Amino acid sequence: MRIYDHRYDRERLRFQIAMRFIRLEARTHTIRLWTGLTDDRIRKLYRSYLLDCDQPPLPRHRGRSPRQVRTFLRTARLRQETGLLASLCRVLGALPGRTGTAGLAGPAAPARAAGFALTLPSLARGELLCQAYEVYRALVGKPLLTFEHAVFLLSTLARAEELVCSRCRDCRAVVVVDRWSLRPARCEVCGAAAEAANAGPPPTSLLPLVQA
């Protein structure tokens, strides 16, 4: 009976996570990767539980998921939102704490990062990622980053090959930076204040800063 109960609980969790991914407008292949459900079961789940409800149907995005890391650093607003989302992933446990440059020392570091990235998709971590994105969306209001961007960001930070989490040298807020950048890490507020130290009062942040 215990084995049956465990399998039932896991299957129920699988469908619950799939439903949250659908509500956050994740693509079918993303749901399949993180839940293990087949494409047919995902389509049936969407039709049975969402199309029959009174709310407007959610859009089903097709095509490839985001794959350009430069998206996260393209503008000041995107850099702020990316730092906020990464902070929430750290605080809620979707992203382990030691995935920045400090946690990648030693000859075995690339293998450790790659191994972690391969095991990243899971039901437990998927649930934490949903929580992080839902909080991020509530704080921002009109986010520039989609849930698919959040999935890609988590994978990118886990691999730590191009982007890493760091801390602002002035306020210690979590920021996402190019791993190979030689410039000191600063959040947008402190960076602008440093550049315009003698040009008036420093700007205020548009987004809350989360200490992880």
Side-chain angles (χ1 to χ4, degrees), residues 63-81:
R64 298 186 62 182
S65 298
R67 285 294 180 270
Q68 299 293 328
V69 296
R70 61 175 177 266
T71 299
F72 300 114
L73 307 179
R74 184 174 297 159
T75 66
R77 177 74 184 196
L78 279 168
R79 290 191 291 271
Q80 280 191 310
E81 291 196 21

Side-chain angles (χ1 to χ4, degrees), residues 142-158:
K142 294 182 179 180
L144 299 178
L145 301 175
T146 67
F147 182 70
E148 287 283 348
H149 283 110
V151 174
F152 179 46
L153 177 64
L154 188 66
S155 175
T156 301
L157 293 176

Side-chain angles (χ1 to χ4, degrees), residues 14-24 45 49-50:
R14 195 186 307 275
F15 277 93
Q16 289 175 346
I17 299 301
M19 284 295 300
R20 292 182 75 171
F21 271 54
I22 289 174
R23 292 191 181 100
L24 294 173
L45 187 66
Y49 290 90
L50 294 181

Side-chain angles (χ1 to χ4, degrees), residues 88-104:
L88 292 169
C89 287
R90 289 270 295 267
V91 169
L92 294 174
L95 180 68
R98 295 185 63 81
T99 55
T101 53
L104 293 173

